[in-house]
Amino acid sequence: MRAIITSILIFLSLVSYAQEVNITGTITAEGNPLPGANILVKGKDRKSVSDFDGNYEIRAVKLDTLVFSFVGFDTQEIIVGDATVINVAMLGSPELEEVIVTASGVKREKRAVGYATSDVSIVIRGKVSGVAVTEGSSHPSRYNDPAYGQLTAGEINDLEKWSEYYEIFSSGEAQKVAGRWRFIHKNKIDITLKNKDQTPVANTMVALYKNKKQLMKGRTDVNGSLVLYKGAHNLSDRFLVQVYSEGTVVGKSISGGQQAVEITIASSVTATNTVDVLFAVDATGSMGDEIAYLKSELKNIMNRIDAQIAQKRVALTVYRDHGDSYVTKSIDFKENVNEVKDFLSQQDANGGGDYEEAVEEALKVSFSQSWNVDAKAKLLFLMLDAPPHYTKQNVELIKSQIKKAREMGIKIIPVVASGANKEVEFLMRSFSVATNGTYVFLTDDSGIGNDHMEPTTEDVKVEKLNDLIVRLIEKYAGVESAL
């Protein structure tokens, strides 16, 4: 009997030690919060990054060891035990390479790690980021918002570089990632819809059929353009393109090998001048090295489209992961961008713990917002550094959300941040290609944040992130660029 009781007690003790708890804390150095520090669970694929105020959050069990590290400081290891709050003071005063972006180029110097409370610089992982006071900021952080116009980015428009995309996704890791998530973008057909006076017909549903079976459908954009895919079907057969407009259906038969088709219809329907833009932002701890800068860029972008596009609405979704303090938060479309900016100011990066995040929930919430069905442009900028959890349920959910976006005429434009791997790149490029969008990624050129992955492409132009996004909004809205 005593042996049974002892076994039960041992079992209960092991269960207790195996239960995960949420560990929070603040990382400091020389008495100041340390943003961008790495926290990981030793021996497990679970990590977090301290946010702009040095705060972090990670899940672990009592027997786990947390490893705290930052370039130039001594790495510290702490066993969790019964603690749920672990504050860490990093030791060391290193000299790191500072990268200063100037009008004439990039300059590198040696200097000690610094911390900012006003117009000075923060050095994060050996890279420097200017911080400027922003008047009227409602962000509750002890720091003022960083100056906008610092983050750098590139764009890969796979629809315009189709031969390169097709080669990349025809074999290797890219094909494997696309296959796992069931994206097959083969044999595209470029569809152009025009009125009898040769003006583009926007926001009109077009479907692709084979043997009376609908393969896919979507809405034309402001240029009357839409890309659909025949997939891996036998191209020796005939396909049918059908246009649905004002209660009538216009069909055109095409060959399997045909790569483009132009259809003229009699239509008096025109899209409104409204532009809907939704920003969906990963707000987990791993985004901590760049979230403050992204917020500044987004506020600047909102101000610029407010000034340059007369009829527009902006919305915002922030998301973390299941088990965090929240999974999604959102503000629906507003004509007054200041309401969205105020909501954005209240957000920070925390939570997460494992690599994957609740991307599928962010998509579901974002597409459930009050999109204007008659808008001439509908754009979703998905800013993230990690993929969704790979499960059978998520594969189905994400496929259904991508299908919904295409049929609503929403272009998904991923913006991939530091820390992302190739699965993120290839999956996000599948998102953009499926919805007739484009792919954007942050680069190391700004000197801000952790290392950024080099994309798989032959060449790329580096731009300021805010300029790039404003350019894309103007492009897809059919507005003459003010840049």
Side-chain angles (χ1 to χ4, degrees), residues 230-280:
K230 307 184 197 79
H233 294 280
N234 189 343
L235 298 185
S236 62
D237 295 335
R238 303 290 295 180
F239 292 77
L240 176 67
V241 177
Q242 286 195 168
V243 180
Y244 304 86
S245 177
E246 300 179 277
T248 63
V249 180
V250 177
K252 190 166 186 176
S253 177
I254 62 171
S255 67
Q258 195 167 338
Q259 298 178 355
V261 60
E262 183 176 306
I263 301 176
T264 301
I265 65 172
S267 174
S268 59
V269 175
T270 57
T272 68
N273 283 325
T274 302
V275 176
D276 278 357
V277 181
L278 189 149
F279 298 96

Short mmCIF file of all heavy atoms in Angstrom, two decimals, residues 230-280:
data_model
loop_
_atom_site.label_atom_id
_atom_site.label_comp_id
_atom_site.label_asym_id
_atom_site.label_seq_id
_atom_site.Cartn_x
_atom_site.Cartn_y
_atom_site.Cartn_z
N LYS A 230 -4.82 27.42 -63.90
CA LYS A 230 -5.40 26.17 -64.39
C LYS A 230 -4.92 24.99 -63.56
O LYS A 230 -5.52 23.90 -63.60
CB LYS A 230 -5.02 25.94 -65.86
CG LYS A 230 -5.35 27.11 -66.79
CD LYS A 230 -5.02 26.75 -68.22
CE LYS A 230 -4.93 27.97 -69.11
NZ LYS A 230 -3.65 28.68 -68.98
N GLY A 231 -3.81 25.17 -62.84
CA GLY A 231 -3.28 24.11 -61.99
C GLY A 231 -2.62 23.01 -62.79
O GLY A 231 -2.08 23.24 -63.88
N ALA A 232 -2.69 21.79 -62.25
CA ALA A 232 -2.01 20.66 -62.89
C ALA A 232 -2.92 19.88 -63.83
O ALA A 232 -2.65 18.73 -64.16
CB ALA A 232 -1.48 19.72 -61.80
N HIS A 233 -4.00 20.52 -64.28
CA HIS A 233 -4.94 19.84 -65.18
C HIS A 233 -4.32 19.63 -66.57
O HIS A 233 -3.37 20.30 -66.96
CB HIS A 233 -6.23 20.65 -65.31
CG HIS A 233 -7.00 20.73 -64.03
ND1 HIS A 233 -7.81 19.72 -63.58
CD2 HIS A 233 -7.06 21.70 -63.08
CE1 HIS A 233 -8.35 20.06 -62.41
NE2 HIS A 233 -7.91 21.26 -62.10
N ASN A 234 -4.90 18.70 -67.32
CA ASN A 234 -4.45 18.39 -68.67
C ASN A 234 -4.67 19.60 -69.58
O ASN A 234 -5.81 20.02 -69.82
CB ASN A 234 -5.21 17.18 -69.21
CG ASN A 234 -4.64 16.68 -70.52
OD1 ASN A 234 -3.89 17.38 -71.20
ND2 ASN A 234 -4.99 15.45 -70.87
N LEU A 235 -3.60 20.17 -70.08
CA LEU A 235 -3.71 21.39 -70.88
C LEU A 235 -4.14 21.14 -72.32
O LEU A 235 -4.31 22.09 -73.08
CB LEU A 235 -2.37 22.14 -70.85
CG LEU A 235 -1.90 22.61 -69.47
CD1 LEU A 235 -0.63 23.44 -69.60
CD2 LEU A 235 -2.98 23.41 -68.75
N SER A 236 -4.32 19.90 -72.67
CA SER A 236 -4.82 19.60 -74.02
C SER A 236 -6.33 19.84 -74.10
O SER A 236 -6.90 19.91 -75.19
CB SER A 236 -4.50 18.15 -74.40
OG SER A 236 -5.16 17.25 -73.52
N ASP A 237 -6.97 19.98 -72.95
CA ASP A 237 -8.41 20.22 -72.90
C ASP A 237 -8.70 21.71 -73.04
O ASP A 237 -7.81 22.56 -72.94
CB ASP A 237 -9.00 19.71 -71.58
CG ASP A 237 -8.90 18.19 -71.45
OD1 ASP A 237 -8.84 17.53 -72.49
OD2 ASP A 237 -8.88 17.70 -70.31
N ARG A 238 -9.98 22.02 -73.25
CA ARG A 238 -10.43 23.40 -73.32
C ARG A 238 -10.85 23.88 -71.93
O ARG A 238 -11.29 23.10 -71.09
CB ARG A 238 -11.62 23.56 -74.28
CG ARG A 238 -11.37 23.10 -75.68
CD ARG A 238 -10.43 24.01 -76.44
NE ARG A 238 -10.98 25.35 -76.64
CZ ARG A 238 -10.32 26.32 -77.28
NH1 ARG A 238 -9.10 26.09 -77.75
NH2 ARG A 238 -10.87 27.51 -77.44
N PHE A 239 -10.69 25.16 -71.68
CA PHE A 239 -11.12 25.78 -70.44
C PHE A 239 -12.12 26.88 -70.79
O PHE A 239 -12.17 27.36 -71.93
CB PHE A 239 -9.93 26.38 -69.68
CG PHE A 239 -8.98 25.34 -69.14
CD1 PHE A 239 -8.07 24.71 -69.97
CD2 PHE A 239 -8.99 25.01 -67.78
CE1 PHE A 239 -7.19 23.76 -69.47
CE2 PHE A 239 -8.12 24.05 -67.28
CZ PHE A 239 -7.21 23.42 -68.13
N LEU A 240 -12.89 27.30 -69.79
CA LEU A 240 -13.89 28.33 -70.01
C LEU A 240 -13.72 29.45 -68.98
O LEU A 240 -13.65 29.19 -67.78
CB LEU A 240 -15.30 27.74 -69.89
CG LEU A 240 -16.47 28.73 -70.01
CD1 LEU A 240 -16.53 29.31 -71.42
CD2 LEU A 240 -17.79 28.05 -69.63
N VAL A 241 -13.65 30.69 -69.47
CA VAL A 241 -13.62 31.87 -68.60
C VAL A 241 -15.00 32.51 -68.64
O VAL A 241 -15.51 32.83 -69.72
CB VAL A 241 -12.55 32.88 -69.06
CG1 VAL A 241 -12.59 34.13 -68.19
CG2 VAL A 241 -11.16 32.25 -69.02
N GLN A 242 -15.61 32.70 -67.47
CA GLN A 242 -16.94 33.30 -67.39
C GLN A 242 -16.91 34.57 -66.56
O GLN A 242 -16.30 34.60 -65.47
CB GLN A 242 -17.97 32.32 -66.81
CG GLN A 242 -18.37 31.23 -67.79
CD GLN A 242 -19.62 30.49 -67.36
OE1 GLN A 242 -20.19 29.73 -68.15
NE2 GLN A 242 -20.06 30.66 -66.13
N VAL A 243 -17.58 35.61 -67.07
CA VAL A 243 -17.66 36.90 -66.40
C VAL A 243 -19.09 37.13 -65.94
O VAL A 243 -20.04 36.92 -66.71
CB VAL A 243 -17.22 38.04 -67.35
CG1 VAL A 243 -17.31 39.38 -66.65
CG2 VAL A 243 -15.81 37.80 -67.87
N TYR A 244 -19.25 37.55 -64.69
CA TYR A 244 -20.57 37.79 -64.12
C TYR A 244 -20.75 39.28 -63.88
O TYR A 244 -20.08 39.87 -63.02
CB TYR A 244 -20.73 37.03 -62.81
CG TYR A 244 -20.48 35.54 -62.95
CD1 TYR A 244 -19.18 35.04 -62.85
CD2 TYR A 244 -21.51 34.66 -63.20
CE1 TYR A 244 -18.94 33.68 -62.99
CE2 TYR A 244 -21.29 33.30 -63.35
CZ TYR A 244 -19.99 32.82 -63.24
OH TYR A 244 -19.74 31.47 -63.39
N SER A 245 -21.63 39.91 -64.64
CA SER A 245 -21.80 41.36 -64.55
C SER A 245 -23.24 41.76 -64.77
O SER A 245 -23.84 41.42 -65.80
CB SER A 245 -20.90 42.05 -65.59
OG SER A 245 -21.09 43.45 -65.57
N GLU A 246 -23.81 42.48 -63.82
CA GLU A 246 -25.16 43.03 -63.92
C GLU A 246 -26.20 41.98 -64.29
O GLU A 246 -27.07 42.19 -65.13
CB GLU A 246 -25.19 44.18 -64.93
CG GLU A 246 -24.26 45.33 -64.56
CD GLU A 246 -24.30 46.44 -65.59
OE1 GLU A 246 -23.59 46.31 -66.61
OE2 GLU A 246 -25.03 47.41 -65.38
N GLY A 247 -26.07 40.81 -63.67
CA GLY A 247 -27.06 39.76 -63.88
C GLY A 247 -26.87 38.97 -65.15
O GLY A 247 -27.69 38.10 -65.48
N THR A 248 -25.83 39.26 -65.92
CA THR A 248 -25.57 38.51 -67.15
C THR A 248 -24.24 37.77 -67.04
O THR A 248 -23.38 38.13 -66.23
CB THR A 248 -25.51 39.45 -68.37
OG1 THR A 248 -24.41 40.37 -68.20
CG2 THR A 248 -26.80 40.22 -68.51
N VAL A 249 -24.11 36.74 -67.85
CA VAL A 249 -22.88 35.94 -67.86
C VAL A 249 -22.31 35.94 -69.26
O VAL A 249 -23.01 35.66 -70.24
CB VAL A 249 -23.15 34.49 -67.41
CG1 VAL A 249 -21.86 33.68 -67.44
CG2 VAL A 249 -23.79 34.46 -66.04
N VAL A 250 -21.04 36.28 -69.37
CA VAL A 250 -20.32 36.26 -70.64
C VAL A 250 -19.23 35.21 -70.54
O VAL A 250 -18.43 35.23 -69.60
CB VAL A 250 -19.72 37.64 -70.97
CG1 VAL A 250 -18.91 37.57 -72.26
CG2 VAL A 250 -20.80 38.70 -71.06
N GLY A 251 -19.18 34.28 -71.48
CA GLY A 251 -18.19 33.23 -71.44
C GLY A 251 -17.28 33.24 -72.66
O GLY A 251 -17.67 33.70 -73.74
N LYS A 252 -16.05 32.77 -72.45
CA LYS A 252 -15.10 32.66 -73.55
C LYS A 252 -14.28 31.41 -73.38
O LYS A 252 -13.67 31.18 -72.34
CB LYS A 252 -14.20 33.90 -73.60
CG LYS A 252 -13.35 33.97 -74.86
CD LYS A 252 -12.74 35.35 -75.03
CE LYS A 252 -12.01 35.46 -76.36
NZ LYS A 252 -11.47 36.83 -76.58
N SER A 253 -14.25 30.57 -74.41
CA SER A 253 -13.49 29.33 -74.38
C SER A 253 -12.03 29.61 -74.71
O SER A 253 -11.73 30.40 -75.61
CB SER A 253 -14.07 28.34 -75.39
OG SER A 253 -13.31 27.16 -75.43
N ILE A 254 -11.13 28.98 -73.96
CA ILE A 254 -9.69 29.16 -74.20
C ILE A 254 -9.01 27.80 -74.22
O ILE A 254 -9.52 26.83 -73.65
CB ILE A 254 -9.03 30.05 -73.13
CG1 ILE A 254 -9.16 29.39 -71.75
CG2 ILE A 254 -9.64 31.45 -73.12
CD1 ILE A 254 -8.35 30.09 -70.67
N SER A 255 -7.87 27.74 -74.87
CA SER A 255 -7.10 26.50 -74.90
C SER A 255 -6.28 26.38 -73.62
O SER A 255 -6.02 27.37 -72.93
CB SER A 255 -6.17 26.50 -76.11
OG SER A 255 -5.17 27.50 -75.97
N GLY A 256 -5.86 25.16 -73.33
CA GLY A 256 -5.07 24.94 -72.12
C GLY A 256 -3.75 25.67 -72.12
O GLY A 256 -3.24 26.06 -71.07
N GLY A 257 -3.20 25.85 -73.30
CA GLY A 257 -1.90 26.52 -73.39
C GLY A 257 -1.99 28.03 -73.44
O GLY A 257 -0.96 28.72 -73.42
N GLN A 258 -3.19 28.57 -73.51
CA GLN A 258 -3.35 30.02 -73.61
C GLN A 258 -2.99 30.68 -72.28
O GLN A 258 -3.45 30.27 -71.22
CB GLN A 258 -4.81 30.35 -74.00
CG GLN A 258 -5.01 31.77 -74.47
CD GLN A 258 -6.38 31.96 -75.13
OE1 GLN A 258 -6.97 30.98 -75.59
NE2 GLN A 258 -6.85 33.18 -75.18
N GLN A 259 -2.17 31.73 -72.35
CA GLN A 259 -1.67 32.36 -71.14
C GLN A 259 -2.33 33.69 -70.83
O GLN A 259 -2.15 34.23 -69.73
CB GLN A 259 -0.15 32.56 -71.25
CG GLN A 259 0.61 31.25 -71.39
CD GLN A 259 2.10 31.47 -71.55
OE1 GLN A 259 2.58 32.59 -71.64
NE2 GLN A 259 2.85 30.37 -71.57
N ALA A 260 -3.09 34.24 -71.77
CA ALA A 260 -3.75 35.51 -71.55
C ALA A 260 -5.03 35.58 -72.37
O ALA A 260 -5.11 34.98 -73.44
CB ALA A 260 -2.84 36.67 -71.90
N VAL A 261 -6.02 36.29 -71.85
CA VAL A 261 -7.26 36.47 -72.57
C VAL A 261 -7.83 37.84 -72.22
O VAL A 261 -7.79 38.27 -71.07
CB VAL A 261 -8.28 35.35 -72.25
CG1 VAL A 261 -8.63 35.33 -70.77
CG2 VAL A 261 -9.53 35.51 -73.09
N GLU A 262 -8.37 38.54 -73.23
CA GLU A 262 -9.03 39.82 -73.01
C GLU A 262 -10.49 39.67 -73.40
O GLU A 262 -10.81 39.17 -74.48
CB GLU A 262 -8.37 40.92 -73.84
CG GLU A 262 -8.98 42.30 -73.60
CD GLU A 262 -8.25 43.40 -74.35
OE1 GLU A 262 -7.01 43.50 -74.19
OE2 GLU A 262 -8.91 44.14 -75.12
N ILE A 263 -11.37 40.09 -72.52
CA ILE A 263 -12.81 39.95 -72.75
C ILE A 263 -13.45 41.34 -72.68
O ILE A 263 -13.21 42.11 -71.75
CB ILE A 263 -13.45 39.02 -71.70
CG1 ILE A 263 -12.79 37.63 -71.77
CG2 ILE A 263 -14.95 38.90 -71.92
CD1 ILE A 263 -13.28 36.66 -70.71
N THR A 264 -14.27 41.63 -73.67
CA THR A 264 -14.99 42.91 -73.71
C THR A 264 -16.45 42.67 -73.36
O THR A 264 -17.09 41.77 -73.93
CB THR A 264 -14.88 43.55 -75.10
OG1 THR A 264 -13.50 43.77 -75.41
CG2 THR A 264 -15.60 44.88 -75.13
N ILE A 265 -16.97 43.45 -72.42
CA ILE A 265 -18.37 43.30 -72.02
C ILE A 265 -19.05 44.67 -72.05
O ILE A 265 -18.39 45.71 -72.04
CB ILE A 265 -18.51 42.69 -70.61
CG1 ILE A 265 -17.91 43.63 -69.55
CG2 ILE A 265 -17.87 41.32 -70.54
CD1 ILE A 265 -18.19 43.19 -68.13
N ALA A 266 -20.36 44.64 -72.08
CA ALA A 266 -21.14 45.87 -71.97
C ALA A 266 -21.51 46.04 -70.52
O ALA A 266 -22.35 45.30 -69.99
CB ALA A 266 -22.38 45.79 -72.85
N SER A 267 -20.87 46.98 -69.84
CA SER A 267 -21.11 47.16 -68.41
C SER A 267 -21.21 48.64 -68.07
O SER A 267 -20.41 49.45 -68.54
CB SER A 267 -19.98 46.53 -67.59
OG SER A 267 -20.12 46.82 -66.23
N SER A 268 -22.21 48.97 -67.24
CA SER A 268 -22.33 50.35 -66.77
C SER A 268 -21.93 50.46 -65.31
O SER A 268 -22.02 51.52 -64.70
CB SER A 268 -23.78 50.83 -66.92
OG SER A 268 -24.66 49.98 -66.19
N VAL A 269 -21.45 49.33 -64.74
CA VAL A 269 -21.07 49.31 -63.32
C VAL A 269 -19.63 49.79 -63.18
O VAL A 269 -18.73 49.34 -63.90
CB VAL A 269 -21.20 47.89 -62.74
CG1 VAL A 269 -20.68 47.86 -61.31
CG2 VAL A 269 -22.65 47.45 -62.80
N THR A 270 -19.42 50.72 -62.27
CA THR A 270 -18.06 51.18 -61.97
C THR A 270 -17.82 51.07 -60.47
O THR A 270 -18.72 51.24 -59.66
CB THR A 270 -17.87 52.65 -62.39
OG1 THR A 270 -18.85 53.46 -61.73
CG2 THR A 270 -17.99 52.80 -63.90
N ALA A 271 -16.58 50.76 -60.11
CA ALA A 271 -16.23 50.67 -58.70
C ALA A 271 -16.22 52.07 -58.09
O ALA A 271 -15.99 53.06 -58.78
CB ALA A 271 -14.86 50.02 -58.54
N THR A 272 -16.47 52.15 -56.79
CA THR A 272 -16.39 53.44 -56.11
C THR A 272 -14.93 53.86 -56.02
O THR A 272 -14.02 53.07 -56.26
CB THR A 272 -16.97 53.34 -54.69
OG1 THR A 272 -16.11 52.51 -53.90
CG2 THR A 272 -18.37 52.75 -54.71
N ASN A 273 -14.70 55.10 -55.63
CA ASN A 273 -13.33 55.60 -55.47
C ASN A 273 -12.73 55.24 -54.12
O ASN A 273 -11.61 55.63 -53.81
CB ASN A 273 -13.29 57.12 -55.66
CG ASN A 273 -13.37 57.51 -57.12
OD1 ASN A 273 -12.83 56.80 -57.97
ND2 ASN A 273 -14.05 58.59 -57.42
N THR A 274 -13.47 54.49 -53.31
CA THR A 274 -12.98 54.14 -51.98
C THR A 274 -11.84 53.13 -52.04
O THR A 274 -11.86 52.21 -52.86
CB THR A 274 -14.13 53.55 -51.13
OG1 THR A 274 -15.18 54.51 -51.05
CG2 THR A 274 -13.66 53.22 -49.72
N VAL A 275 -10.86 53.31 -51.17
CA VAL A 275 -9.77 52.36 -51.01
C VAL A 275 -9.79 51.85 -49.57
O VAL A 275 -9.78 52.65 -48.63
CB VAL A 275 -8.40 53.02 -51.31
CG1 VAL A 275 -7.26 52.04 -51.04
CG2 VAL A 275 -8.35 53.53 -52.74
N ASP A 276 -9.86 50.54 -49.39
CA ASP A 276 -9.82 49.92 -48.06
C ASP A 276 -8.44 49.32 -47.83
O ASP A 276 -7.97 48.49 -48.64
CB ASP A 276 -10.88 48.83 -47.94
CG ASP A 276 -12.27 49.37 -47.61
OD1 ASP A 276 -12.38 50.60 -47.43
OD2 ASP A 276 -13.22 48.58 -47.53
N VAL A 277 -7.79 49.71 -46.73
CA VAL A 277 -6.47 49.19 -46.39
C VAL A 277 -6.52 48.66 -44.96
O VAL A 277 -6.86 49.40 -44.03
CB VAL A 277 -5.38 50.27 -46.50
CG1 VAL A 277 -4.01 49.68 -46.15
CG2 VAL A 277 -5.36 50.87 -47.89
N LEU A 278 -6.18 47.39 -44.78
CA LEU A 278 -6.11 46.79 -43.45
C LEU A 278 -4.69 46.32 -43.18
O LEU A 278 -4.09 45.63 -44.00
CB LEU A 278 -7.09 45.63 -43.32
CG LEU A 278 -7.29 45.05 -41.91
CD1 LEU A 278 -8.71 44.51 -41.73
CD2 LEU A 278 -6.28 43.93 -41.59
N PHE A 279 -4.15 46.69 -42.01
CA PHE A 279 -2.84 46.23 -41.58
C PHE A 279 -3.03 45.17 -40.50
O PHE A 279 -3.69 45.42 -39.49
CB PHE A 279 -2.01 47.39 -41.02
CG PHE A 279 -1.73 48.48 -42.01
CD1 PHE A 279 -2.51 49.61 -42.06
CD2 PHE A 279 -0.67 48.36 -42.91
CE1 PHE A 279 -2.26 50.63 -42.98
CE2 PHE A 279 -0.40 49.36 -43.83
CZ PHE A 279 -1.20 50.49 -43.87
N ALA A 280 -2.49 43.97 -40.72
CA ALA A 280 -2.52 42.90 -39.72
C ALA A 280 -1.09 42.69 -39.23
O ALA A 280 -0.19 42.40 -40.02
CB ALA A 280 -3.07 41.61 -40.33
#
